[in-house]
Amino acid sequence: GIRAAGLVAELAAVKVLLEGEGVRLLVEMQEGDLPPAQETVLALCLREAVTNIHKHARAGHVQVSLRRDAGHWWLQVEDDGRGGAIRPGNGLEGMRERLQALGGSLQIEPGVSGGTRLLAGLPYWQPAGHLERGGPLATDDGSDDAAVPGAVQPAAPAAD
């Protein structure tokens, strides 16, 4: 239970941490059904990304967005801090492992404003309660795929 986290709760903690230091926070969240396992992984990614910003970036602005498109959920965290070489440590490796365990990926690159941009992606899947017994699984593009195990393949993780 200690490692479980919800995005709403994590965003509240992020707001308190960053705005308490005078860092401006902009949040854009697309509504939708995120299964609990995916929400927890994305919330932990948000926590780790903002912890890194707090410790290292010296940022003045941070943008957080969550959106769904092309069958994936995308969490983007971008700062305007000092940027530079990213040395993966336990936090980033743990984030990558949690994402990959659910078929997702992690990208870290220079931000538009000179800081760092982190992009965490997870394949979108309907919670079990949304499937009709014995019926088709409607995908977000309007097509139907058979509701059989293995019908939806997770995206391959992005290369570093």
Side-chain angles (χ1 to χ4, degrees), residues 7-97:
L7 279 168
V8 171
E10 205 56 50
L11 279 169
V14 162
K15 180 177 175 74
V16 168
L17 176 67
L18 294 178
E19 290 183 352
E21 295 181 345
V23 178
R24 185 167 177 246
L25 176 64
L26 175 65
V27 177
E28 297 177 32
M29 302 291 283
Q30 180 179 348
E31 295 200 21
D33 278 339
L34 254 172
Q38 289 186 321
E39 182 174 0
T40 297
V41 167
L42 291 178
L44 291 172
C45 288
L46 176 61
R47 179 184 299 172
E48 181 62 31
V50 172
T51 297
N52 287 339
I53 291 168
H54 169 72
K55 288 181 178 179
H56 308 293
R58 298 184 193 148
H61 295 82
V62 173
Q63 292 180 290
V64 174
S65 69
L66 178 69
R67 68 186 191 295
R68 191 183 101 196
D69 64 23
H72 284 77
W73 281 104
W74 298 104
L75 173 69
Q76 181 173 297
V77 181
E78 185 170 350
D79 68 76
D80 66 350
R82 61 186 183 151
I86 304 295
R87 286 178 239 120
N90 290 334
L92 290 175
E93 286 305 311
M95 188 186 310
R96 187 180 309 280
E97 288 170 6

Side-chain angles (χ1 to χ4, degrees), residues 74 88 93 96 100 103-109 117 119 121 155-160:
W74 298 104
E93 286 305 311
R96 187 180 309 280
Q100 288 176 343
S105 63
L106 177 68
Q107 298 172 9
I108 303 169
E109 58 195 24
R117 178 176 30 218
L119 186 62
D160 288 340

